[in-house]
Amino acid sequence: MILKLRNLPEINSKIKVLFISSWFPNRVKPTLGNFVHKHAEAVSQYADVSVLHVCFDETLKGKQEIVYSSEKNINSIFIYLKKINSPIRQFINYLKAYRNGLKLISEKYGKPDIIHANIIFPVGLVFLFNKAFKKFPFVVTEHWTGFLPDDPEKISFIKKYLIKRITRKSKKVLLVTENLKNAMLNLGFKGDYKVVPNVVDTSLFVITDQNKKSIKNILHISSFVDEQKNISGILRAIKKLSEKRNDFAMHFITDGDAQPFIDYAKNNSLLDKYVFFHGTKSTGQVAEMLEQSDFLLLFSNYENFPCVIVEAFSCGVPVVSTNVGGISEHVSDKHGILIKPKDENALLTAIGQMLDNTDKYDKQFLHDYAENNFSYKSVGKQINDIYSEILNKK
């Protein structure tokens, strides 16, 4: 007599994980939450990853549009909604879209074993108000600087209450730095915390040979939100530097509003002489510009741990940055120079020191540090191991 065993999972079958996120690159905002997309790519090396993202598009003619895409082993469904005047109705539409999207994901790509939410608010609300999502174990990864004490944005009582409920329900709360973990704990957000860092594609961000040149390239990449990134402070320091030396070029990459800073550079005879502005760049283009840079420059007033630092390391490029957030957890004297926020004199001095000493940094050490700590292989395995641990405990 032969017994047939049915519906048993394959011994080596991959975990099916669904990524959802409050921020994710989409046609409206192509670079929003690109760090979440990179985490999804890292996990896809070990798990079967799909993505569901709901966002609002003011240009939408109808009430809703569903877009399917498949890239680098990740199947995605984007649901674009028309913005309406009623916040309550809009929130209901948001929940409905996620409910319908989960059904589409399950039918087309298979029912997920676990859901990975990113940026707790508002996407985490689906686990509180959407019955379809309550059936699944989930983890959350948080990147938001709003939990940091230096961020001027204050969390409302209602928002804090909802986030507390989400973190308690989550099987794991993943943070990219110890600093952010401590900030959330200090605010009373209880949960099972684990630090898992940002990720970089170390096969794309690589060391390239550079010919000795008289002009050294400094690179800054950010959203250009001056309150946080302090672009004004950088430009004032560059103005003073230009009065002392002329052996540098300051390049800015942003998808934000650069016009006020372009005007400042033009009015101070810096534009296209010492200071150069670049619009939105693809990941590959960012890698190319980093590879040709001598160092990365950040002057943030508050920060978590920017992905661009990890990308610089992978290119063998040292960093000048303010010592804020979790940056000091990975930036030592071997990686660059840390200074106090808002100290423009210290910034001016650090830029001068770096211009004179970039060749003293070990490019291979920097790349290896990125490979060992932030590569797709390293971070993807950490996250997949967390999924396995959670599912084995079910």
Side-chain angles (χ1 to χ4, degrees):
M1 178 174 160
I2 299 175
L3 296 177
K4 292 184 178 180
L5 301 180
R6 298 181 180 179
N7 300 323
L8 292 180
E10 297 178 17
I11 294 174
N12 295 317
S13 62
K14 291 183 176 181
I15 294 169
K16 285 187 176 292
V17 55
L18 172 62
F19 266 66
I20 62 174
S21 183
S22 298
W23 307 338
F24 200 82
N26 59 75
R27 71 186 185 198
V28 181
K29 296 182 178 180
T31 63
L32 180 68
N34 52 12
F35 42 81
V36 178
H37 188 226
K38 291 170 186 175
H39 265 152
E41 287 183 343
V43 173
S44 71
Q45 297 195 1
Y46 298 89
D48 185 354
V49 176
S50 56
V51 172
L52 172 62
H53 184 58
V54 177
C55 60
F56 294 91
D57 184 350
E58 293 182 350
T59 66
L60 202 64
K61 294 182 179 179
K63 293 181 179 180
Q64 176 180 287
E65 182 181 351
I66 300 175
V67 178
Y68 295 83
S69 71
S70 182
E71 185 181 4
K72 293 186 178 180
N73 298 321
I74 299 175
N75 296 309
S76 303
I77 296 179
F78 293 86
I79 302 179
Y80 295 94
L81 301 177
K82 183 74 173 179
K83 275 194 172 183
I84 57 177
N85 293 328
S86 170
I88 295 175
R89 189 67 212 171
Q90 186 163 280
F91 178 61
I92 292 172
N93 290 343
Y94 181 79
L95 292 179
K96 284 183 176 179
Y98 265 108
R99 181 193 64 198
N100 295 336
L102 178 59
K103 183 179 179 181
L104 292 173
I105 286 282
S106 299
E107 291 174 350
K108 192 169 181 64
Y109 307 120
K111 183 180 178 182
D113 299 307
I114 191 167
I115 297 177
H116 192 151
N118 294 266
I119 320 300
I120 296 171
F121 200 89
V123 79
L125 296 177
V126 300
F127 299 106
L128 300 182
F129 300 106
N130 201 320
K131 289 182 180 180
F133 280 83
K134 290 180 180 180
K135 301 174 184 177
F136 292 89
F138 72 96
V139 300
V140 296
T141 292
E142 189 53 76
H143 304 257
W144 187 43
T145 61
F147 295 108
L148 302 177
D150 294 329
D151 192 318
E153 182 169 347
K154 301 304 176 186
I155 306 173
S156 68
F157 174 80
I158 294 296
K159 190 173 181 178
K160 186 178 290 187
Y161 168 76
L162 293 170
I163 292 173
K164 283 182 178 180
R165 288 190 60 193
I166 297 165
T167 56
R168 283 200 302 265
K169 286 179 175 291
S170 176
K171 297 295 183 182
K172 252 343 171 183
V173 181
L174 309 182
L175 291 312
V176 293
T177 64
E178 285 285 344
N179 181 73
L180 183 56
K181 169 187 167 182
N182 293 332
M184 290 188 68
L185 286 171
N186 289 337
L187 289 170
F189 298 113
K190 296 180 180 179
D192 187 355
Y193 285 87
K194 185 174 179 62
V195 174
V196 177
N198 276 324
V199 67
V200 61
D201 185 349
T202 52
S203 66
L204 177 63
F205 290 83
V206 296
I207 300 170
T208 56
D209 293 329
Q210 293 187 35
N211 296 324
K212 289 256 183 178
K213 50 188 185 295
S214 57
I215 302 297
K216 292 189 176 180
N217 292 318
I218 311 168
L219 184 62
H220 173 93
I221 307 171
S222 79
S223 62
F224 264 40
V225 177
D226 202 36
E227 184 180 58
Q228 179 184 1
K229 304 297 182 178
N230 202 355
I231 309 302
S232 299
I234 294 176
L235 287 172
R236 286 192 291 268
I238 292 298
K239 172 61 178 174
K240 291 181 180 178
L241 187 67
S242 70
E243 296 167 356
K244 298 179 178 180
R245 56 196 299 173
N246 60 3
D247 60 340
F248 69 93
M250 179 75 234
H251 293 270
F252 291 93
I253 297 176
T254 184
D255 57 359
D257 181 10
Q259 195 57 52
F261 310 109
I262 293 173
D263 292 342
Y264 176 92
K266 184 176 181 180
N267 293 337
N268 286 274
S269 303
L270 298 173
L271 188 64
D272 297 334
K273 182 178 181 182
Y274 295 106
V275 174
F276 302 85
F277 293 91
H278 308 269
T280 304
K281 299 289 182 183
S282 68
T283 302
Q285 290 170 327
V286 170
E288 290 175 1
M289 290 195 69
L290 266 172
E291 289 161 14
Q292 297 303 315
S293 298
D294 292 279
F295 64 96
L296 176 74
L297 175 61
L298 300 176
F299 194 49
S300 301
N301 294 325
Y302 56 92
E303 200 67 78
N304 188 18
F305 184 64
C307 284
V308 68
I309 290 180
V310 180
E311 293 168 348
F313 289 167
S314 192
C315 293
V317 173
V319 175
V320 171
S321 172
T322 44
N323 187 1
V324 292
I327 292 175
S328 64
E329 294 174 30
H330 293 287
V331 179
S332 69
D333 292 343
K334 292 182 178 181
H335 305 88
I337 301 173
L338 291 179
I339 58 174
K340 292 181 180 180
K342 301 181 181 180
D343 189 340
E344 294 178 22
N345 289 328
L347 175 63
L348 180 61
T349 300
I351 295 173
Q353 289 176 348
M354 188 61 82
L355 285 171
D356 294 333
N357 295 284
T358 52
D359 58 344
K360 295 182 180 179
Y361 289 89
D362 187 334
K363 288 181 174 290
Q364 193 60 52
F365 166 81
L366 291 171
H367 179 82
D368 290 347
Y369 187 82
E371 183 71 50
N372 293 333
N373 293 278
F374 310 107
S375 66
Y376 279 20
K377 180 179 178 180
S378 172
V379 176
K381 185 177 186 305
Q382 287 183 61
I383 298 175
N384 192 63
D385 286 349
I386 290 169
Y387 300 154
S388 298
E389 178 188 356
I390 291 168
L391 294 172
N392 285 336
K393 287 181 177 180
K394 284 181 65 180

